[in-house]
């Protein structure tokens, strides 16, 4: 398969959506979107734009970071951006798909993924969901002892082509965002490797189950430093080595490293990159790359976040107690984490004229950027210095290609906004392609019978 090659040379790391030129590219897309009424002050109050060239470059960077002999299956964590046309594009770029619910599983199948390139992770898989995954031959990562018993029962009833692994929790601690840290001592995920007796019990579980052949670990997401992630993977690899040594056979064939590469929300540079992470993995877990293990990854945020932005109109501006406030159409419904955990998830915001052109004249003035939801905390930014916003202007929320508008929060019955993919050709022409239509209000009126 031919993968798009990233440009080479200094500053080539990252996608077209990052690095120098990123701001001009966003401005170009916004102007075009206004001109074509993909943004409209009455009909399309907000919309999301996903840089498909950028996504291709990010995927290429991921593939290039791993040595070709590693035989890695790189899957995209669907929860980061679950739109079927986007998933189909990622499939075309050589990705597999990681899913963690029946909905995501259905979306991955609708996007055309071969079930053998789908990885099913979830801490709450039902019996029926497991039956279907095993029938289709999707990879399954078992989360806990009870699920392992369940899989035993199902495999007694019929063989499966699925590669089956078990998720371990190396219990090495969390990063700076508690809700994103999955390898704490008491995390809900996986089998706690350091708990008394668990490692021995798990070795015996492998001995009794020749079909159990992978180990899965996902240390965490945003906020976890690379060395913490790499150390978690190292502990999973050390455990695989122990299983294979004690059983005297190559039973653990593969390591699924999970995702979690953190994203820089502070400016247009991509850092750290996949190559940095692979460097840390080589340092902490050299056995991972010595050819004895097949590999899988499950990156989400790092592939999409910086390749998307959300644009919304300013409806009104006001002043309250000396505070300047711009009321926009983007709030908790599309930026849920930023609104509820503003310190953990700050977003960059840029100000634009109604034409989409950047507003850069005049001194920045501290302003609250508010959303449309009817609760006081619905703020995208507090006291943020920005060019003075006026009604009819646009604001763009940067780095929102993952876990923002595609994980919609249905507060105040606000509908899901449209998502548009775009590419920019060599002549600078912008091509849009729909990834999700705006949700019509009628959809909110679904009858009860
Ligand atoms: C969420 C999740 C991922 C993706 O994490 P990112 O931070 O988006 O890369 C991968 N694997 C599992 C099991 C997850 O829960």
């Amino acid at each position: 398969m031919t993968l798009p090659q990233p440009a080479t040379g200094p500053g080539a790391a990252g996608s077209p959506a990052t690095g120098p030129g990123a701001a001009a590219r966003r401005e170009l897309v916004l102007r075009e979107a206004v001109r074509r009424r993909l943004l409209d002050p009455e009909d399309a109050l907000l919309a999301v734009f996903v840089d498909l060239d950028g996504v291709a470059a990010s995927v290429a960077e991921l593939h290039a970071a791993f040595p070709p002999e590693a035989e890695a299956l790189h899957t995209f964590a669907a929860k980061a951006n679950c739109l079927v046309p986007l998933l189909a594009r990622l499939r075309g770029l050589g990705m597999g798909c990681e899913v963690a619910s029946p909905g995501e599983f259905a979306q991955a199948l609708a996007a055309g993924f071969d079930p053998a390139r789908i990885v099913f992770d979830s801490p709450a898989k039902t019996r029926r969901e497991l039956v279907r995954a095993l029938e289709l031959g999707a990879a399954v990562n078992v989360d806990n002892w009870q699920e392992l018993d369940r899989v035993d029962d199902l495999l007694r009833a019929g063989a499966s082509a699925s590669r089956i692994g078990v998720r371990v929790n190396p219990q090495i601690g969390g990063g700076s965002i508690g809700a994103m840290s999955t390898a704490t001592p008491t995390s809900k995920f996986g089998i706690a490797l350091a708990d008394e007796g668990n490692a021995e019990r798990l070795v015996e579980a492998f001995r009794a189950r020749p079909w159990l052949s992978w180990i899965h670990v996902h240390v965490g997401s945003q906020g976890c430093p690379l060395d913490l992630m790499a150390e978690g993977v190292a502990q999973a690899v050390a455990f695989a080595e122990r299983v294979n040594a004690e059983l005297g056979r190559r039973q653990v064939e593969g390591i699924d490293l999970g995702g979690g590469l953190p994203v820089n929300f502070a400016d247009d540079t991509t850092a750290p990159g996949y190559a940095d992470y692979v460097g840390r993995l080589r340092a902490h877990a050299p056995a991972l790359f010595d050819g004895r293990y097949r590999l899988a990854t499950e990156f989400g945020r790092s592939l999409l976040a910086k390749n998307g932005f959300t644009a919304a109109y300013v409806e009104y501006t006001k002043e309250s107690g000396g505070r300047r406030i711009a009321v926009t159409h983007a709030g908790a419904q599309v930026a849920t984490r930023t609104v509820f955990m503003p310190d953990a998830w700050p977003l960059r915001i840029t100000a634009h004229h109604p034409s989409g052109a950047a507003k850069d004249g005049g001194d920045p003035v501290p302003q609250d950027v508010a959303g449309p939801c009817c609760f006081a905390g619905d703020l995208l930014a507090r006291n943020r210095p920005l060019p003075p916003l006026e009604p009819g202007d646009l604001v763009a929320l940067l780095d929102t290609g993952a876990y923002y508008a595609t994980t919609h929060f249905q507060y105040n019955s606000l509908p899901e906004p449209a998502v548009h993919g775009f590419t920019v050709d060599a002549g600078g022409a912008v091509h849009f392609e729909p990834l999700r239509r705006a949700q019509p209000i009628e959809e909110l009126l679904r009858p009860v019978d």
Side-chain angles (χ1 to χ4, degrees):
M1 171 182 339
T2 338
L3 294 165
Q5 293 305 306
T8 51
S15 73
T18 68
R25 189 174 168 92
R26 286 189 295 265
E27 190 179 340
L28 173 72
V29 170
L30 266 183
R31 282 171 178 273
E32 253 332 272
V34 169
R35 208 174 62 79
R36 300 200 214 170
R37 315 223 8 216
L38 301 179
L39 285 164
D40 180 281
E42 293 298 340
D43 292 324
L45 308 172
L46 74 164
V48 182
F49 300 91
V50 175
D51 190 332
L52 299 173
D53 299 326
V55 170
S58 299
V59 168
E61 202 178 313
L62 167 62
H63 281 90
F66 281 77
E69 63 280 7
E71 250 192 77
L73 169 64
H74 295 292
T75 68
F76 173 67
K79 73 175 182 286
N81 189 325
C82 55
L83 307 181
V84 172
L86 180 79
L87 296 179
R89 229 173 212 272
L90 288 162
R91 174 177 56 73
L93 294 167
M95 297 294 297
C97 195
E98 186 263 357
V99 301
S101 72
E104 288 177 3
F105 207 137
Q107 287 168 319
L109 291 172
F113 284 99
D114 174 354
R117 295 174 64 80
I118 295 177
V119 176
F120 185 29
D121 293 330
S122 155
K125 305 176 197 78
T126 66
R127 187 177 288 272
R128 188 187 301 167
E129 289 163 27
L130 282 167
V131 166
R132 181 151 161 77
L134 294 172
E135 276 174 4
L136 287 168
V140 174
N141 288 319
V142 170
D143 178 81
N144 57 65
W145 298 113
Q146 292 173 357
E147 188 184 337
L148 195 56
D149 288 344
R150 215 175 248 194
V151 172
D152 279 341
D153 282 350
L154 297 176
L155 290 179
R156 269 194 287 276
S160 165
S162 295
R163 67 94 170 142
I164 303 173
V166 64
R167 177 166 181 171
V168 297
N169 171 9
Q171 293 169 292
I172 51 164
S176 63
I177 308 179
M180 297 291 114
S181 299
T182 47
T184 56
T186 56
S187 163
K188 74 171 183 179
F189 290 107
I191 290 179
L193 214 46
D195 278 11
E196 177 81 39
N198 265 356
E200 294 71 22
R201 186 175 167 196
L202 199 50
V203 172
E204 293 315 308
F206 272 97
R207 192 189 303 282
R209 294 171 182 78
W211 44 263
L212 194 57
S213 59
W214 276 64
I215 286 181
H216 175 224
V217 63
H218 173 68
V219 169
S221 295
Q222 192 67 18
C224 289
L226 289 194
D227 282 314
L228 182 76
M229 291 170 52
E231 186 46 34
V233 173
Q235 302 226 356
V237 174
F239 183 70
E241 299 275 85
R242 172 171 171 186
V243 170
N244 289 353
E246 289 197 26
L247 270 52
R249 59 178 189 246
R250 188 172 163 264
Q251 168 135 358
V252 179
E253 292 167 8
I255 312 282
D256 181 336
L257 327 173
L261 189 72
V263 165
N264 166 27
F265 286 92
D267 59 36
D268 278 329
T269 48
T270 297
Y274 294 110
D276 300 318
Y277 184 36
V278 170
R280 299 323 298 151
L281 287 171
R282 280 187 190 283
H284 286 261
L288 205 53
F289 298 101
D290 69 10
R292 287 179 298 136
Y293 295 102
R294 286 157 63 205
L295 304 182
T297 69
E298 307 170 340
F299 293 103
R301 182 177 289 105
S302 53
L303 286 167
L304 258 296
K306 296 194 83 62
N307 290 314
F309 66 92
T310 306
Y313 280 99
V314 175
E315 192 65 47
Y316 296 109
T317 57
K318 56 165 73 167
E319 242 182 69
S320 192
R323 179 72 58 93
R324 218 181 145 112
I325 303 165
V327 179
T328 78
H329 286 284
Q333 88 277 32
V334 291
T336 316
R337 281 182 175 154
T338 295
V339 167
F340 288 107
M341 299 176 72
D343 298 329
W345 300 100
L347 283 178
R348 289 186 292 154
I349 298 176
T350 55
H352 300 262
H353 294 285
S355 66
K359 261 195 144 172
D360 36 24
D363 286 337
V365 183
Q367 295 162 77
D368 282 3
V369 181
C373 298
C374 292
F375 65 97
D378 187 34
L379 299 173
L380 300 167
R382 291 171 170 77
N383 241 340
R384 177 81 56 92
L386 283 172
L389 289 164
E390 307 293 342
D393 283 349
L394 285 158
V395 291
L397 319 180
L398 310 191
D399 310 319
T400 51
Y403 300 100
Y404 275 85
T406 57
T407 42
H408 188 82
F409 173 45
Q410 206 183 61
Y411 198 87
N412 280 138
S413 299
L414 288 164
E416 296 177 346
V419 182
H420 306 280
F422 69 86
T423 57
V424 182
D425 70 22
V430 183
H431 303 274
F432 289 104
E433 119 179 20
L435 297 177
R436 180 177 77 188
R437 66 183 178 134
Q439 185 177 33
I441 296 291
E442 299 76 68
E443 242 176 56
L444 306 174
L445 309 177
R446 190 171 45 217
V448 287
D449 50 19

